[in-house]
Amino acid sequence: MPDSFGFGISIPLIKDETGNLNDLDNYRAITLSCVICKLFEMAKLDICNDVLSTDPLQYGFNTGTGRTDAIFRLKTTVQHFVNKGSSVFLVSLDMSKAFDKVNHYKLFSALLTAGIPVAIIDVLCDWYSKLHSAVRWNNVILNSFIPMTLY
């Protein structure tokens, strides 16, 4: 895997422009990577598509579905049980930063178990070992660093 495939430029985006601009939680980062890297990712995904599946209820990860579909399903389900005289109890789990804490060893093991070819796992391991990033702030690119998830 070329070293350049592991490099990304992170750009902090403001979530709420009326909020506190000094609050780190008011920003989310997107990371830009090279176009050829993205094409390579798409090719890998196409190779693995037969063994990778997503539950239809994962609205954010399925083409043509999203948050509004999930809200509609929730509302209609709650309304159904309320109309039948049942009590409805809801629990919510915030997984917004879950990917930041993924154990890569466990991820690769799960991919092997799912039937992803070993050659693809080897490429991913090599790729992840080369990840580093830099932040672009006001059109200035700061020194690169290794993301904390890799420590």
Side-chain angles (χ1 to χ4, degrees):
M1 184 65 59
D3 289 343
S4 63
F5 274 30
F7 181 68
I9 296 177
S10 296
I11 301 170
L13 300 175
I14 298 170
K15 292 180 185 176
D16 178 10
E17 294 197 16
T18 62
N20 182 356
L21 299 181
N22 294 320
D23 182 5
L24 293 178
D25 289 331
N26 194 24
Y27 291 86
R28 68 177 176 87
I30 60 166
T31 301
L32 308 176
S33 55
C34 65
V35 174
I36 193 75
C37 180
K38 288 294 185 188
L39 291 171
F40 186 72
E41 285 178 9
M42 290 169 57
K44 276 192 336 232
L45 184 57
D46 192 51
I47 291 168
C48 301
N49 210 23
D50 293 342
V51 285
L52 294 176
S53 63
T54 303
D55 189 288
L57 296 178
Q58 291 286 329
Y59 296 103
F61 299 100
N62 289 314
T63 305
T65 64
R67 182 181 68 230
T68 54
D69 299 294
I71 293 169
F72 175 77
R73 174 71 61 102
L74 174 66
K75 287 173 99 174
T76 55
T77 301
V78 168
Q79 192 62 47
H80 169 79
F81 285 101
V82 167
N83 289 343
K84 301 285 184 186
S86 295
S87 298
V88 177
F89 302 94
L90 298 172
V91 175
S92 126
L93 180 61
D94 181 6
M95 299 291 288
S96 62
K97 295 186 180 180
F99 189 74
D100 295 343
K101 295 169 179 46
V102 168
N103 179 318
H104 293 135
Y105 175 78
K106 288 183 180 179
L107 172 65
F108 298 143
S109 295
L111 290 173
L112 278 171
T113 302
I116 300 296
V118 174
I120 298 291
I121 303 295
D122 285 342
V123 167
L124 289 173
C125 288
D126 186 43
W127 198 343
Y128 273 56
S129 73
K130 296 176 181 179
L131 292 181
H132 62 289
S133 188
V135 175
R136 187 178 81 191
W137 186 260
N138 290 329
N139 290 322
V140 175
I141 297 177
L142 307 174
N143 293 337
S144 68
F145 61 92
I146 299 171
M148 288 179 55
T149 57
L150 301 176
Y151 291 112

